[in-house]
């Protein structure tokens, strides 16, 4: 037996005696299945058992007919007939047990029926004893011993019934012999009973082993039959046969159908010629067909040989298996085998192989193929003592396009980017897509030191040209980081990691530049990792704090608000510039919990100021695009008790590039609360009048670069400030000039019409205590 028959135990049978007779659960195999094997042929033995009991009954009557009263004898006979009929009925109920699982309820009923028969046969030892002589009891014992022996031999299928019958009748005989002082006969009966019971168990074990073996063979035969039927019924497989000259013989109907010809066009024709098509005339066989012809010529067996054939249905792929036909004398008679059309499977495999190595959106090689190509380039460089290069490319401003115009436009843009990159490649380069808006180039031979720079420059220049996508003219740039192998890395992983570090530096430099890897980048990356780790603990450690810079009315020079500015004094790294840790917080999304803390602290501190003074809190794009940001503002106001009109949210123009719809919806919720919203750094980035029409900003802040330019009489800066002030006045918005550092600059800004001024001239960023002191000094004055 094999492991496939999970409900049958292994042979040789290692079941305990209790498991064999059905009292306990077997440690392997199914109890119900084993009982079904034992009891399935019981019905066929019912007639034999009835005849045996009838003979025993006749012998018993002949022994006790003269000594036992007829009524008693007749009553015993009737009871015996009744219990035998009951036992036969129980056996009849098990006639179909081989087609289903036997239940424990049926097992118990069968045991009880056997016990009833045994009790009736044991009764004469006690009912007939007072009127019977010793020789009569010995004769009756011989009759019961005969029944026990017959049951042991004939009923090996039901050992429990035999054991019950032997136990009860032998027990009655032993008791009878002991009662009458016949101890030697009692010992003899006990010995016989033990031998009979042991024989019953051994016979049952042998019988069960045979039945398990039969069941296993039957199951195997059924599996083979099913497989053969499945093969015969399959539309995909056929049988083929050729003679010693490799001509088709006894072509099956399915083989004829597969070739797309009539039987008379196939029989007796060359097998290879039939499947070679036009290649037979030209002799230009596909390699797989040539391999088949060679194997047939060498009379070699082959299995699952993939062959490209050309038949009436066009070019197809067949999978062929064949074995040479050799008789007992060693004479070769040809080949016989099976075949199937696996064209669809082959095409599916080729598609899967393509998808495994190519990007479905752009058609460029994917990360897997790029890493394989880079590995080959590294091996080539090591073998020939040359250099290879790996360039990583990241699109600048692609996320803004994707967020504002949707993924469909973004995908079309990526497809155009891919086409441009492909057009820049020579045979020495391979370009692929790593994922998202990241691409990479493998330069197999970078011995020319200028080649990497030329490729990187060409990529930046060509990708920076405008794109026409779905009636939109789009502009994106490209940042490039490169690493040379094996100088900058002797493994694929190391080279890719170092190119990524260079790319990160290129992005950090403002984008649209190429940066080559240098060892110091590892130190920068390590510093960033350490800063990120420290920043994650900064809130809990109490290392973050706020400073406040006053904003004054341009005419009265009284304080109208403070801008809350976040500072970090790390226990490990000292004071960290906001220009360094705030972008890190945005990249890691730590800005969300930090921003919540800033909101609460700023609102809490503003409660200490006069009621007309507002607090302005800068909000990043990550915060504003959080669907729950408005709820966070509500929570900060309710927790601190600050009136909503005293909180001003400052945002930059860049948020409208990423997702204008979400940003507008969130700002409208904030304005509905009563908070004001200021537009920071207006004119320095993506400027559009569209959102100024749809959102009622309270203030437009003029960037310090324009203020400094105007102070130097820069015509463009002066014109921009005048235009912003005029526009703000027309829209009923205030204007704040940032970066005012001298009295002259303050006077100039006042003349230009700005309503509020912020800068070092009126106050540097200060701690909360110093900010509060400004009001106390003003009150004292």
């Amino acid at each position: 037996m094999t492991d496939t028959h999970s409900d049958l135990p292994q042979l040789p049978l290692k079941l305990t005696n209790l498991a064999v007779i059905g009292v306990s659960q077997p440690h392997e195999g199914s109890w119900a299945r084993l009982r079904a094997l034992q009891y399935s042929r019981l019905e066929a033995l019912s007639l034999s058992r009835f005849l045996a009991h009838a003979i025993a009954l006749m012998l018993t009557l002949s022994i006790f007919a003269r000594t036992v009263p007829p009524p008693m004898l007749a009553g015993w006979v009737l009871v015996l007939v009744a219990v035998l009929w009951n036992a036969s009925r129980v056996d009849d109920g098990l006639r179909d047990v081989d087609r289903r699982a036997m239940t424990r309820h049926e097992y118990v009923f069968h045991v009880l029926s056997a016990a009833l028969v045994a009790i009736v046969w044991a009764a004469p030892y006690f009912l007939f004893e007072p009127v019977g002589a010793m020789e009569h009891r010995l004769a009756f014992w011989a009759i019961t011993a005969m029944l026990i022996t017959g049951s042991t031999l004939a009923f090996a299928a039901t050992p429990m019934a035999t054991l019950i019958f032997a136990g009860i009748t032998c027990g009655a005989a032993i008791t009878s012999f002991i009662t009458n002082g016949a101890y030697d006969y009692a010992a003899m009966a006990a010995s016989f009973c033990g031998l009979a019971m042991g024989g019953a168990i051994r016979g049952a074990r042998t019988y069960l082993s045979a039945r398990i073996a039969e069941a296993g063979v039957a199951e195997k035969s059924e599996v083979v039959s099913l497989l053969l039927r499945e093969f015969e019924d399959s539309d995909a497989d056929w049988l083929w046969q050729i003679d010693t000259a490799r001509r088709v013989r006894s072509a099956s109907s399915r083989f004829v159908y597969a070739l797309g010809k009539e039987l008379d066009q196939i029989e007796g024709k060359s097998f290879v010629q039939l499947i070679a098509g036009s290649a037979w005339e030209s002799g230009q066989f596909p390699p797989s067909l040539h391999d088949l012809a060679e194997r047939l010529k060498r009379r070699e067996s082959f299995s699952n040989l993939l062959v490209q054939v050309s038949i009436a249905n066009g070019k197809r792929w067949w999978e062929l298996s064949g074995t040479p036909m050799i008789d007992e004398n060693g004479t070769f008679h040809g080949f016989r085998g099976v075949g199937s059309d696996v064209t669809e499977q082959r095409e599916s495999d080729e598609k899967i192989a393509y998808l495994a190595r190519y990007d479905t959106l752009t058609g460029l090689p994917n990360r897997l193929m790029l890493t394989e190509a880079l590995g080959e380039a590294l091996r080539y460089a090591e073998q020939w003592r040359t250099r290879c290069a790996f360039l990583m490319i990241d699109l600048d401003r692609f996320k803004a396009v994707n967020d504002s115009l949707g993924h469909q436009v973004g995908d079309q843009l990526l497809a155009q980017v891919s086409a441009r990159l492909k057009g820049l490649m020579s045979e020495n380069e391979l370009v692929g897509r790593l994922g998202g808006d990241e691409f990479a180039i493998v330069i197999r031979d970078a011995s020319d030191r200028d080649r990497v720079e030329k490729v990187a420059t060409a990529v930046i220049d060509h990708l920076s040209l405008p794109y026409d996508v779905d009636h939109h003219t789009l502009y994106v740039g490209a940042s490039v980081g490169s690493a040379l192998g094996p100088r900058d890395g002797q493994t694929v992983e190391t080279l890719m990691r170092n190119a990524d570090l260079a790319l990160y530096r290129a992005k950090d430099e403002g984008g649209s530049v190429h940066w080559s890897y240098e060892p110091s980048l590892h130190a920068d990356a390590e510093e960033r990792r350490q800063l990120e780790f420290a920043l994650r603990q900064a809130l809990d450690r109490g290392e973050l704090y706020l400073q406040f810079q006053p904003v004054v009315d341009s005419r009265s020079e009284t304080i109208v608000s403070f801008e809350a500015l976040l500072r970090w004094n790390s226990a490990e790294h000292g004071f960290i510039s906001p220009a360094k840790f705030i972008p890190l917080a945005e990249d890691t999304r730590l800005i969300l919990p930090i921003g919540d803390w800033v909101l609460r602290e700023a609102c809490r501190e503003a409660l200490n100021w006069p009621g007309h003074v507002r607090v302005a809190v800068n909000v990043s794009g990550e915060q504003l695009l959080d669907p729950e940001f408005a709820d966070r503002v509500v929570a900060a106001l309710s927790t601190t008790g600050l009136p909503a009109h005293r909180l001003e949210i400052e945002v930059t123009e860049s948020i409208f590039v990423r997702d204008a719809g979400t940003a507008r919806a969130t700002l409208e919720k904030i304005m509905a609360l009563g908070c004001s919203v200021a537009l920071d750094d207006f004119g320095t980035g993506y400027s559009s009048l569209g959102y100024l029409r749809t959102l009622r900003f309270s203030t437009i802040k003029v960037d310090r670069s324009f203020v400094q330019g105007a102070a130097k009489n820069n015509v463009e800066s002066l014109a921009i400030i005048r235009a912003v002030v005029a526009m703000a006045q027309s829209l009923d918005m205030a204007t704040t000039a940032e970066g005012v550092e001298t009295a002259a600059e303050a006077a100039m800004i006042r003349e230009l019409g700005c309503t509020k001024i912020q800068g070092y001239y009126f106050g540097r960023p200060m701690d909360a205590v110093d900010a509060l002191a400004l009001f106390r000094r003003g009150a004292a004055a």
Side-chain angles (χ1 to χ4, degrees):
M1 298 299 294
T2 65
D3 293 338
T4 57
H5 309 302
S6 58
D7 58 349
L8 293 178
Q10 295 279 342
L11 291 179
L13 203 59
K14 296 179 180 179
L15 300 180
T16 63
N17 290 337
L18 292 178
V20 169
I21 65 177
V23 173
S24 67
Q25 180 70 28
H27 65 276
E28 59 175 338
S30 165
W31 182 92
R33 182 74 188 280
L34 293 179
R35 301 292 79 77
L37 291 176
Q38 287 180 314
Y39 285 75
S40 60
R41 299 181 181 177
L42 187 61
E43 184 192 8
L45 300 174
S46 294
L47 181 60
S48 301
R49 180 175 60 185
F50 182 79
L51 291 175
H53 281 274
I55 294 171
L57 174 62
M58 297 301 296
L59 293 174
T60 302
L61 291 177
S62 67
I63 293 172
F64 293 107
R66 293 188 179 89
T67 56
V68 177
M72 180 182 295
L73 199 59
W76 177 79
V77 170
L78 290 175
V79 172
L80 178 61
V81 171
V83 296
L84 287 174
W85 176 81
N86 177 69
S88 177
R89 191 170 59 86
V90 172
D91 292 348
D92 185 63
L94 298 174
R95 70 170 65 187
D96 62 341
V97 76
D98 58 334
R99 298 189 297 275
R100 59 180 176 82
M102 184 174 180
T103 65
R104 292 187 181 273
H105 183 73
E106 291 173 323
Y107 174 79
V108 171
F109 260 95
H110 187 269
V111 170
L112 290 177
S113 69
L116 289 176
V117 174
I119 290 171
V120 174
W121 277 108
Y125 285 108
F126 305 104
L127 296 177
F128 302 162
E129 180 182 354
V131 294
M134 176 57 73
E135 59 269 19
H136 292 164
R137 282 193 289 274
L138 288 174
F140 184 67
W141 159 246
I143 294 172
T144 54
M146 176 194 70
L147 288 174
I148 292 172
T149 302
S151 180
T152 300
L153 296 175
F155 289 87
T158 57
M160 193 60 186
T162 301
L163 294 178
I164 290 292
F165 185 82
I168 293 176
T169 54
C170 286
I174 293 169
T175 302
S176 175
F177 289 142
I178 292 175
T179 302
N180 289 277
Y183 300 108
D184 49 348
Y185 290 123
M188 177 186 67
S191 299
F192 175 80
C193 185
L195 291 172
M197 287 183 170
I201 294 175
R202 285 192 298 274
R205 184 179 295 275
T206 302
Y207 176 81
L208 186 57
S209 297
R211 293 289 289 128
I212 290 173
E214 289 177 10
V217 171
E219 288 182 358
K220 287 181 179 179
S221 299
E222 184 178 357
V223 170
V224 172
S225 298
L226 285 173
L227 290 174
L228 287 175
R229 283 199 300 272
E230 182 180 346
F231 179 78
E232 290 173 356
D233 295 339
S234 172
D235 292 334
D237 302 294
W238 61 82
L239 299 174
W240 59 273
Q241 182 175 326
I242 58 176
D243 58 18
T244 55
R246 297 190 286 279
R247 294 187 295 260
V248 174
R249 298 298 180 193
S250 304
S252 66
S253 57
R254 290 199 186 109
F255 180 49
V256 173
Y257 177 78
L259 284 169
K261 296 179 179 291
E262 298 296 331
L263 180 60
D264 57 359
Q265 296 176 300
I266 296 173
E267 195 71 24
K269 298 295 190 298
S270 168
F271 179 49
V272 176
Q273 181 180 358
L274 286 171
I275 62 177
S278 59
W280 180 260
E281 301 296 334
S282 64
Q284 301 296 320
F285 293 155
S288 58
L289 191 58
H290 186 271
D291 185 23
L292 171 65
E294 287 297 315
R295 290 172 185 264
L296 294 176
K297 181 179 179 181
R298 294 194 299 265
R299 301 178 182 179
E300 293 178 355
S301 295
F302 52 91
S303 178
N304 302 325
L305 182 65
L306 203 60
V307 180
Q308 184 180 357
V309 301
S310 181
I311 53 178
N313 295 328
K315 293 190 181 299
R316 309 287 293 178
W317 285 94
W318 284 4
E319 188 176 78
L320 299 174
S321 297
T323 303
M325 296 184 294
I326 301 174
D327 61 19
E328 62 275 7
N329 298 320
T331 304
F332 173 70
H333 292 282
F335 268 86
R336 178 184 291 130
V338 297
S340 59
D341 191 318
V342 293
T343 306
E344 286 74 17
Q345 180 183 342
R346 169 80 178 187
E347 291 173 350
S348 176
D349 291 344
E350 289 178 347
K351 184 176 182 180
I352 292 172
Y354 176 85
L355 293 176
R357 284 176 167 75
Y358 286 88
D359 177 59
T360 54
L361 175 63
T362 63
L364 294 178
N366 62 10
R367 180 180 291 270
L368 174 62
M369 191 169 179
L370 283 170
T371 55
E372 291 176 348
L374 183 56
E376 287 294 328
L378 279 170
R379 285 189 286 273
Y380 178 86
E382 183 178 0
Q383 180 180 358
W384 299 104
R385 297 292 186 268
T386 61
R387 291 183 178 185
C388 63
F390 186 71
L391 284 69
M392 290 189 71
I393 305 165
D394 186 84
L395 299 183
D396 302 328
R397 299 181 298 278
F398 173 77
K399 182 171 175 53
V401 173
N402 215 29
D403 291 344
S404 59
L405 299 178
H407 292 287
Q408 186 173 358
V409 172
D411 289 347
Q412 294 180 49
L413 176 58
L414 288 176
Q416 291 193 25
V417 167
S418 302
R420 292 187 186 183
L421 287 172
K422 247 195 269 191
L424 295 174
M425 297 300 104
S426 68
E427 294 182 357
N428 189 38
E429 293 102 27
L430 175 72
V431 63
R433 183 185 179 207
L434 295 174
D437 61 342
E438 283 193 344
F439 297 83
I441 297 173
V442 175
I443 301 180
R444 181 180 178 85
D445 185 357
S447 301
D448 181 1
R449 294 178 180 271
D450 296 331
R451 182 58 186 166
V452 175
E453 186 64 36
K454 289 178 181 177
V455 171
T457 302
V459 166
I460 294 171
D461 291 344
H462 282 74
L463 297 191
S464 298
L465 297 174
Y467 298 83
D468 185 13
V469 181
D470 198 19
H471 307 296
H472 297 280
T473 300
L474 305 175
Y475 292 86
V476 294
S479 301
V480 181
S482 65
L484 295 176
R487 185 196 71 181
D488 299 332
Q490 296 183 348
T491 66
V492 170
E493 294 77 12
T494 305
L495 205 59
M496 292 181 73
R497 183 176 68 248
N498 291 342
D500 193 34
L501 289 174
L503 174 62
Y504 187 83
R505 171 56 68 88
K507 299 286 287 186
D508 209 32
E509 292 294 319
S512 295
V513 296
H514 167 228
W515 200 276
S516 299
Y517 169 78
E518 52 194 38
S520 62
L521 295 180
H522 272 291
D524 296 340
E526 179 60 20
E527 180 188 12
R528 175 183 168 86
R529 188 192 67 79
Q530 292 180 2
L531 281 180
E532 179 184 342
F533 181 76
L535 185 58
R536 290 185 182 277
Q537 305 177 65
L539 266 180
D540 295 335
R541 292 178 174 178
E543 296 175 353
L544 299 178
Y545 63 97
L546 294 182
Q547 287 192 325
F548 300 89
Q549 186 174 25
V551 179
V552 302
D553 182 273
S554 63
R555 299 296 176 185
S556 64
E557 296 188 357
T558 57
I559 297 174
V560 294
S561 65
F562 280 94
E563 181 178 1
L565 301 170
L566 181 62
R567 300 291 185 259
W568 179 23
N569 189 11
S570 171
E572 299 170 355
H573 306 282
F575 181 79
I576 310 296
S577 168
K580 199 170 203 177
F581 76 81
I582 288 180
L584 178 61
E586 291 177 340
D587 289 346
T588 58
R589 292 187 63 82
L590 289 172
I591 196 66
L592 297 181
I594 291 175
D596 290 347
W597 178 84
V598 170
L599 267 175
R600 290 194 304 272
E601 287 300 306
C603 292
R604 184 177 291 110
E605 191 58 41
L607 285 173
N608 300 320
W609 306 334
H612 69 280
V613 179
R614 293 178 176 178
V615 62
V617 178
N618 290 284
V619 173
S620 74
E622 293 295 331
Q623 290 176 271
L624 199 62
L625 297 180
D626 180 7
E628 299 178 357
F629 179 69
D631 296 332
R632 298 176 190 275
V633 174
V634 172
L637 293 172
S638 61
T639 301
T640 60
L642 183 73
H645 72 273
R646 294 188 58 193
L647 175 63
E648 186 172 61
I649 300 296
E650 288 193 8
V651 298
T652 60
E653 297 171 304
S654 60
I655 61 168
F656 298 101
V657 179
R658 292 185 57 182
D659 191 342
T662 302
R664 183 182 300 110
T666 302
L667 291 176
E668 287 174 349
K669 290 180 182 178
I670 293 172
M671 291 177 180
L673 296 174
C675 301
S676 55
V677 178
L679 184 61
D680 199 5
D681 298 337
F682 182 76
T684 60
Y686 172 82
S687 297
S688 171
L689 300 180
Y691 52 79
L692 290 177
R693 292 198 310 269
T694 57
L695 283 172
R696 298 295 300 172
F697 291 101
S698 62
T699 303
I700 297 177
K701 301 188 76 171
V702 180
D703 187 70
R704 68 179 63 247
S705 61
F706 299 127
V707 173
Q708 298 302 317
K712 297 175 183 177
N713 291 318
N714 181 280
V715 177
E716 291 180 356
S717 297
L718 287 168
I720 288 173
I721 294 176
R722 289 192 181 99
V724 171
V725 169
M727 179 181 62
Q729 289 175 347
S730 66
L731 295 174
D732 196 23
M733 298 178 185
T735 50
T736 299
E738 297 181 300
V740 176
E741 299 181 355
T742 65
E745 291 176 359
M748 176 197 64
I749 290 299
R750 194 178 294 114
E751 290 180 7
L752 289 173
C754 287
T755 54
K756 291 182 285 187
I757 303 175
Q758 180 180 354
Y760 286 175
Y761 178 68
F762 292 101
R764 292 175 176 271
M766 60 191 73
D767 293 337
V769 175
D770 297 327
L772 185 59
L774 292 178
F775 297 113
R776 290 173 179 168
R777 285 198 297 270

